[in-house]
Amino acid sequence: MKLTRMTAKEAACFIKNNDCVALGGFSPSGTPKAIMSAVAEKALAEHQAGREYKIHLNAGASVGDSCDGALSRADAVISRIPYCDNKDMRQAYNKGDIAFHDLNLADNAAFLRQKLTHVPTWGIIEAADIEEHDGTYHIYPTSATGIAPTICHIAEKGLFIEHNIWHEKAIKGIHDIYEMPNSWEHHIMRISHPTQRIGKPYLSIPAERIVGIVECNLPDEARPMPPSSDIHNTMGGHAADFVHWNIRKGILHPQHLVFQSGVGSVANAVIGAMGRDKNIPEFSVFTEVFQDAPFSLLQEGRIKGASTGALTLSPENLRLFYKDIHLYRDKVVVRPSEISNCPEIISRLGVCAMNTAIEVDIYGHVNSTKICGSNMMNGVGGSSDYTTSATLAIFTCGSTAKDGKISSIVPFCSHIDHTEHHVDAVVTEYGVADLRGKCPAERAELLINIAHPDYRPILWEYQRLSLQHGGQTPHMLTAAFALHDTYLRKGDMRLVDWNEYTIK
Amino acid sequence: MKLTRMTAKEAACFIKNNDCVALGGFSPSGTPKAIMSAVAEKALAEHQAGREYKIHLNAGASVGDSCDGALSRADAVISRIPYCDNKDMRQAYNKGDIAFHDLNLADNAAFLRQKLTHVPTWGIIEAADIEEHDGTYHIYPTSATGIAPTICHIAEKGLFIEHNIWHEKAIKGIHDIYEMPNSWEHHIMRISHPTQRIGKPYLSIPAERIVGIVECNLPDEARPMPPSSDIHNTMGGHAADFVHWNIRKGILHPQHLVFQSGVGSVANAVIGAMGRDKNIPEFSVFTEVFQDAPFSLLQEGRIKGASTGALTLSPENLRLFYKDIHLYRDKVVVRPSEISNCPEIISRLGVCAMNTAIEVDIYGHVNSTKICGSNMMNGVGGSSDYTTSATLAIFTCGSTAKDGKISSIVPFCSHIDHTEHHVDAVVTEYGVADLRGKCPAERAELLINIAHPDYRPILWEYQRLSLQHGGQTPHMLTAAFALHDTYLRKGDMRLVDWNEYTIK
């Protein structure tokens, strides 16, 4: 059976108002770029013609501006699942114009299979190559897979394949495609070292499921991260010292170090610091994104193996990766998101998880997602998948934001994504608070001591007020969010007036 | 090598001021009873003589009043880890007199091995029988194991064995003793069905590790739960209907149902309702405590197999269990707490977790531990181990407490143990809020609709005020804890005056 070739615009014609589209790729590597741009243009034309046109969108994680940005600017999205870091879409869902459902990335594929989220009408997958084998097509993904294995069989009306020749066929063999079985099959995930393979290097799709092939030549949309600041590097140094301390204590094994590195500049700085610290032997990564910093460490031989959900390299570095791919074939595995973020495997590999926090409260709860409790930043991503299952879960955050007007250590997190029960240690530029085995009073002391010096007396005053109320984790609930409210009203948390928060 | 027999008082002589004692058993089944009572008496005598005497205490979970109660009344505890439900000790740690460190029960043994909590000076294990084999003693635990496998090799100065003849030797063979290897060994936990065995039925202890054997005859201290109320039974019925709905939707498999049932009367009512509902086929349990209600279902054949951390049966039912133990040998396995609560196994078995909440907020976060944010109730127990790994995580709570003066559905939980990222559904007597795949606005509507009718307008008003602030999860932070504060000041959440919480 011959596949139908079509333009992105022709493919977009299939996608109707109220349809749900699911995308392969991950954060935003390997996400389709051609058809969704055409859908955004179609939406603008439809709206101009006075017709309703909006779709539901589900992706592995973030997608490029060609999709999230273009669609939200075209007012073409009803709902979006899960992680999303596009500023236009962020604005829309925080205004309530788009229903944004945050979800652990490990759960997205299972929720699709269980039909707990919108059933996709269509699926779109970016391919580096397509091969026919007796009426079945082998689709080789590009720089990420995301939820593609599930989309392939769950999309109601079929699939579009974007054959993007910007990527190189040489990537064939890097992927390990495997879909989780149903929970009641009591299946053992037989991955016992980071780069072990259990699946196939391609997606297998019956010809009749493929509605059309769209040829394109579009660069990947992962952006290079802003360079790490001095504060980031200081935090990285503290984190590396702390890891070394855990090795000396026998909690981590020097020959079997496996790190997760999170998303963003801080994550780059932290994994970079691990690489530079000669007290830390060469290590592996089991992670959801593989950014430029770990790629440098792979080139230097400091990283001996990497499992990732996505090659989130800048286009330049991705080109370099393709050029030298023969060097990385045995060392790098790209996995679907439900495997890259699979709690069972993260737990088994004894992963040391390193994620960034927006804020941390004095008892060790972490906010990763909401500004002042209400405004979603990006989403929880894989931070909960990793934090709940890691052997050692570390959070990093600069002690302040907005030129010192915001403290990252607060009396009570305005939103909680990770609880005291899973947060092991917190790192700011002032040091490390190791919370393991500590009771609440000890935790508060450790955390206040790594707050910015401007905020330490403020936090101690909150503690003093709270202690009058007693309890194992003393709080004065009317003042728990005093810093946040002061920032919202006066623009600087340091201007807090506790008298305003004590109801007489 | 002959073991030294001694009295409980003689054993207590070994335990010095500032020592750390670790106890086998779990919640409070199979916990030692004789020596700790003697330690409490010793403490009183020491204090009377003007000498300091306090110890650190670590147990599998809760222990009986003979230990926690007696010790805290004797003012003999510096610190206590982890779950503890004794009212005298609760009072002491909420006053700040005892440092209480709450911990996921799955993590307790690993924290001990990693020396992240106090290294026990002594371990005490209750035994149903003791056998010698070439200088090694096989210790057969009684109704629970808890952290005993780890205590055996980690206690610095050695072990005391309480040979409690109240238990019957017939229990030999019910236990499956297995200790988790180090995280860097990348070990697969090869348990693929609830009652699969991977260990031995006894603890193996070199003779030289055993300091003394104390003979005793003391009943187990698990108390029968108060009978379930009409509200509990209504919630149980809703939970059973919801499980049945999930079976019909293909999310749970009727032939492979595995339930966790939590602790307390509500848990008894919920598992009882599952048993009574003929739409639900016979099922297994993989759980941390096995209370009287599931025992009835086992007798009736509704439960086909049970893995548990403890036989938390009333003394009468435990006697009955021993009498008919030949009927249960193939059907019941008692595991150490790090295995009964092991996230990897809970995830693999597709467990449907059912725990009780103190309060739930309008976006689906759950408080399991703290009253009004500060006062610890008992501890997180295994609720986080199960909730984060379950296929379906359900929380139940009556819509109100204290004769309607407290609402269990609140704007913002005063403490968060389980986040929106893991809480799948909430059940009150007014119905089920299925939160899976829902965005925050939908969650709030579902949850307010199962609040008590008295509180629905109050919660809607909070929503209305919050919406003025915008965001994906709108909150008005100064009023987030208005209901809690109103209860603390006026004794009834319904008396909330929103004007008091709006800073002008």
Side-chain angles (χ1 to χ4, degrees):
Chain A
M1 188 175 158
K2 194 122 178 79
L3 298 181
T4 309
R5 290 182 191 270
M6 56 179 67
T7 63
K9 199 173 168 179
E10 286 165 344
C13 288
F14 285 84
I15 299 170
K16 308 293 182 204
N17 180 42
N18 221 21
D19 277 2
C20 176
V21 180
L23 306 176
F26 191 86
S27 225
S29 308
T31 50
K33 302 152 187 76
I35 300 172
M36 294 315 284
S37 296
V39 167
E41 281 174 32
K42 175 180 171 178
L44 289 171
E46 290 289 295
H47 297 166
Q48 206 133 33
R51 287 188 291 271
E52 282 191 20
Y53 187 85
K54 283 192 178 191
I55 61 166
H56 300 275
L57 191 62
N58 190 337
S62 63
V63 299
D65 187 71
S66 64
C67 175
D68 265 353
L71 284 175
S72 53
R73 288 189 294 273
D75 190 21
V77 184
I78 311 166
S79 73
R80 172 76 166 84
I81 295 173
Y83 189 90
C84 162
D85 64 1
N86 182 275
K87 80 175 180 356
D88 293 313
M89 191 165 281
R90 182 187 300 133
Q91 204 168 26
Y93 59 65
N94 279 322
K95 272 174 64 188
D97 294 342
I98 292 173
F100 177 62
H101 175 59
D102 196 16
L103 195 61
N104 295 320
L105 298 182
D107 295 335
N108 196 1
F111 270 45
L112 276 171
R113 288 191 293 270
Q114 295 172 339
K115 300 188 167 54
L116 290 168
T117 46
H118 281 282
V119 177
T121 325
W122 309 99
I124 311 179
I125 291 156
E126 186 180 77
D129 199 18
I130 303 168
E131 289 175 356
E132 203 227 324
H133 294 264
D134 302 327
T136 295
Y137 282 85
H138 292 183
I139 306 293
Y140 291 87
T142 61
S143 47
T145 314
I147 53 172
T150 305
I151 297 173
C152 286
H153 62 87
I154 211 101
E156 273 183 330
K157 295 190 176 171
L159 305 165
F160 299 97
I161 312 295
E162 290 192 7
H163 182 207
N164 186 356
I165 60 166
W166 186 90
H167 292 286
E168 295 194 17
K169 291 186 182 182
I171 200 170
K172 288 160 71 170
I174 286 286
H175 291 275
D176 187 51
I177 312 275
Y178 188 84
E179 194 182 11
M180 297 275 278
N182 292 308
S183 63
W184 58 78
E185 296 178 38
H186 300 181
H187 179 79
I188 291 176
M189 291 300 301
R190 293 182 190 277
I191 293 179
S192 297
H193 66 82
T195 55
Q196 187 171 348
R197 291 166 179 278
I198 55 172
K200 291 179 180 170
Y202 51 78
L203 298 154
S204 239
I205 310 179
E208 62 273 17
R209 294 277 299 149
I210 301 175
V211 181
I213 305 281
V214 174
E215 297 280 343
C216 59
N217 183 357
L218 297 165
D220 230 17
E221 291 177 279
R223 291 162 304 180
M225 292 293 153
S228 303
S229 70
D230 287 350
I231 285 179
H232 297 168
N233 290 326
T234 304
M235 290 194 289
H238 289 322
D241 289 346
F242 181 60
V243 163
H244 184 223
W245 184 86
N246 278 277
I247 294 172
R248 288 203 314 273
K249 290 279 285 181
I251 294 169
L252 299 176
H253 193 292
Q255 303 312 316
H256 300 279
L257 292 172
V258 185
F259 292 110
Q260 171 231 4
S261 84
V263 181
S265 305
V266 179
N268 265 339
V270 171
I271 197 82
M274 299 292 160
R276 278 192 305 278
D277 189 331
K278 292 303 178 273
N279 286 314
I280 297 174
E282 58 179 19
F283 54 85
S284 303
V285 295
F286 189 88
T287 188
E288 56 182 345
V289 295
F290 191 75
Q291 300 186 152
D292 290 340
F295 181 50
S296 300
L297 298 175
L298 182 73
Q299 290 171 308
E300 295 162 21
R302 289 288 288 151
I303 287 181
K304 54 187 178 182
S307 164
T308 180
L311 296 165
T312 45
L313 303 174
S314 59
E316 300 69 37
N317 270 329
L318 190 52
R319 279 258 162 266
L320 214 57
F321 181 85
Y322 287 145
K323 185 171 88 55
D324 294 333
I325 197 160
H326 57 284
L327 300 174
Y328 310 126
R329 286 218 176 276
D330 297 339
K331 294 181 184 163
V332 178
V333 181
V334 181
R335 305 185 188 276
S337 47
E338 66 176 338
I339 313 294
S340 68
N341 289 34
C342 172
E344 174 175 337
I345 305 170
I346 294 162
S347 163
R348 179 169 315 130
L349 297 182
V351 170
C352 172
M354 304 188 297
N355 288 283
T356 50
I358 290 176
E359 61 185 9
V360 183
D361 72 27
I362 54 169
Y363 297 121
H365 302 266
V366 165
N367 176 3
S368 297
T369 58
K370 308 278 168 69
I371 307 293
C372 287
S374 301
N375 280 297
M376 171 63 86
M377 191 66 203
N378 300 322
V380 72
S383 60
S384 185
D385 302 328
Y386 277 89
T387 298
T388 54
S389 302
T391 288
L392 177 57
I394 302 173
F395 281 88
T396 47
C397 60
S399 69
T400 58
K402 301 265 180 204
D403 297 323
K405 297 189 186 77
I406 292 175
S407 173
S408 307
I409 313 289
V410 293
F412 200 120
C413 278
S414 63
H415 180 83
I416 291 174
D417 295 290
H418 314 290
T419 72
E420 53 169 343
H421 308 302
H422 294 109
V423 177
D424 292 322
V426 177
V427 178
T428 72
E429 70 273 31
Y430 293 101
V432 180
D434 181 1
L435 307 176
R436 297 169 297 174
K438 305 296 194 307
C439 71
E442 294 166 323
R443 291 168 163 249
E445 186 176 345
L446 289 167
L447 285 160
I448 295 173
N449 282 336
I450 60 164
H452 189 280
D454 284 358
Y455 285 97
R456 291 179 205 169
I458 295 171
L459 294 165
W460 284 123
E461 178 61 11
Y462 177 79
Q463 265 288 79
R464 193 189 66 78
L465 292 167
S466 300
L467 278 167
Q468 298 166 6
H469 293 254
Q472 193 232 4
T473 52
H475 270 301
M476 185 163 102
L477 291 179
T478 53
F481 298 130
L483 297 190
H484 301 87
D485 182 61
T486 299
Y487 175 73
L488 291 174
R489 290 189 302 125
K490 303 179 185 171
D492 193 325
M493 285 185 175
R494 288 169 293 201
L495 302 176
V496 65
D497 174 0
W498 294 111
N499 291 318
E500 292 187 298
Y501 299 94
T502 321
I503 288 173
K504 303 294 176 289
Chain B
M1 190 172 157
K2 195 123 179 77
L3 298 181
T4 310
R5 291 181 191 268
M6 56 180 66
T7 64
K9 198 171 169 181
E10 285 164 345
C13 287
F14 286 84
I15 299 171
K16 308 293 181 204
N17 181 41
N18 222 22
D19 277 0
C20 176
V21 180
L23 307 176
F26 191 87
S27 225
S29 308
T31 50
K33 301 154 189 75
I35 301 172
M36 294 316 283
S37 297
V39 167
E41 281 174 31
K42 174 180 172 176
L44 289 172
E46 290 289 295
H47 296 165
Q48 205 133 30
R51 287 188 289 271
E52 282 192 19
Y53 188 86
K54 282 192 180 192
I55 61 167
H56 300 275
L57 192 62
N58 190 337
S62 63
V63 297
D65 188 69
S66 64
C67 175
D68 266 353
L71 284 175
S72 53
R73 287 189 295 270
D75 190 20
V77 184
I78 311 166
S79 73
R80 173 75 167 86
I81 297 173
Y83 189 91
C84 162
D85 64 2
N86 181 275
K87 80 174 179 357
D88 292 314
M89 192 167 280
R90 182 188 300 132
Q91 204 168 24
Y93 60 65
N94 279 322
K95 271 174 67 190
D97 294 341
I98 293 173
F100 178 62
H101 175 58
D102 197 17
L103 195 61
N104 295 319
L105 297 183
D107 295 335
N108 195 3
F111 270 45
L112 276 172
R113 287 191 293 271
Q114 296 173 339
K115 300 188 168 50
L116 290 168
T117 47
H118 281 283
V119 177
T121 324
W122 309 99
I124 311 179
I125 291 157
E126 188 182 75
D129 199 17
I130 303 169
E131 289 174 357
E132 203 228 323
H133 294 265
D134 300 329
T136 295
Y137 282 85
H138 292 183
I139 306 293
Y140 290 87
T142 60
S143 47
T145 314
I147 53 173
T150 305
I151 296 173
C152 285
H153 62 85
I154 211 98
E156 275 183 328
K157 296 191 178 172
L159 305 165
F160 299 97
I161 311 295
E162 291 191 8
H163 181 207
N164 187 354
I165 60 166
W166 186 89
H167 291 287
E168 296 194 15
K169 291 188 183 181
I171 199 168
K172 288 160 71 170
I174 285 287
H175 291 276
D176 187 50
I177 313 277
Y178 189 85
E179 194 182 9
M180 298 275 277
N182 292 307
S183 63
W184 57 77
E185 295 178 37
H186 299 180
H187 179 80
I188 292 176
M189 292 298 301
R190 294 183 189 278
I191 293 178
S192 296
H193 66 82
T195 55
Q196 188 171 345
R197 289 166 182 276
I198 56 172
K200 290 180 179 166
Y202 52 78
L203 297 154
S204 241
I205 309 181
E208 62 273 18
R209 295 279 297 149
I210 302 176
V211 181
I213 304 282
V214 173
E215 297 281 342
C216 59
N217 183 356
L218 297 164
D220 231 17
E221 291 178 279
R223 291 161 304 183
M225 293 293 155
S228 304
S229 70
D230 286 352
I231 285 180
H232 298 168
N233 290 326
T234 304
M235 290 194 288
H238 289 321
D241 288 347
F242 181 60
V243 163
H244 184 223
W245 183 87
N246 279 279
I247 294 172
R248 289 201 316 271
K249 289 280 285 182
I251 295 170
L252 298 176
H253 192 292
Q255 303 311 316
H256 300 280
L257 292 173
V258 184
F259 293 109
Q260 172 233 2
S261 84
V263 181
S265 305
V266 178
N268 264 340
V270 171
I271 197 80
M274 299 293 159
R276 278 192 304 278
D277 190 330
K278 293 299 178 274
N279 286 314
I280 297 175
E282 58 178 21
F283 53 84
S284 303
V285 294
F286 189 87
T287 187
E288 55 182 345
V289 293
F290 191 75
Q291 300 185 152
D292 290 340
F295 181 50
S296 299
L297 297 175
L298 182 74
Q299 291 172 307
E300 293 163 22
R302 288 288 288 151
I303 287 180
K304 54 187 179 183
S307 163
T308 180
L311 296 166
T312 44
L313 303 174
S314 59
E316 300 69 38
N317 270 329
L318 190 52
R319 279 256 161 267
L320 213 57
F321 181 85
Y322 286 145
K323 186 171 87 59
D324 294 334
I325 199 160
H326 57 284
L327 300 174
Y328 310 126
R329 287 217 175 276
D330 297 339
K331 294 181 183 161
V332 177
V333 181
V334 181
R335 304 186 189 276
S337 48
E338 66 176 338
I339 313 294
S340 68
N341 288 35
C342 172
E344 173 175 337
I345 305 170
I346 294 163
S347 163
R348 177 167 317 129
L349 298 182
V351 169
C352 173
M354 305 188 296
N355 287 283
T356 50
I358 289 175
E359 61 185 8
V360 183
D361 72 27
I362 54 170
Y363 297 121
H365 301 266
V366 165
N367 175 4
S368 297
T369 59
K370 307 277 168 70
I371 306 294
C372 287
S374 301
N375 281 298
M376 171 63 87
M377 191 66 203
N378 301 320
V380 72
S383 59
S384 185
D385 303 328
Y386 277 89
T387 298
T388 54
S389 303
T391 289
L392 176 57
I394 303 173
F395 280 88
T396 47
C397 59
S399 69
T400 59
K402 302 265 181 205
D403 297 323
K405 297 188 186 78
I406 292 176
S407 173
S408 307
I409 312 288
V410 293
F412 200 119
C413 278
S414 62
H415 179 84
I416 291 174
D417 295 289
H418 313 290
T419 73
E420 54 169 342
H421 308 302
H422 295 110
V423 177
D424 292 322
V426 177
V427 178
T428 72
E429 70 273 31
Y430 293 101
V432 181
D434 181 0
L435 306 175
R436 296 169 298 176
K438 306 297 194 307
C439 71
E442 295 166 321
R443 289 166 166 252
E445 185 175 345
L446 288 167
L447 283 160
I448 295 173
N449 282 336
I450 60 164
H452 189 280
D454 284 357
Y455 284 97
R456 292 179 203 168
I458 294 171
L459 294 165
W460 284 123
E461 178 61 11
Y462 177 78
Q463 265 288 79
R464 193 188 67 76
L465 292 167
S466 301
L467 278 167
Q468 297 166 5
H469 294 256
Q472 192 230 5
T473 51
H475 270 301
M476 185 162 103
L477 290 179
T478 53
F481 298 131
L483 297 191
H484 301 86
D485 182 62
T486 300
Y487 174 74
L488 290 173
R489 290 190 302 125
K490 301 180 185 172
D492 193 325
M493 287 184 173
R494 288 170 292 200
L495 302 177
V496 66
D497 174 0
W498 295 110
N499 291 318
E500 292 186 297
Y501 299 94
T502 321
I503 289 173
K504 300 296 175 288

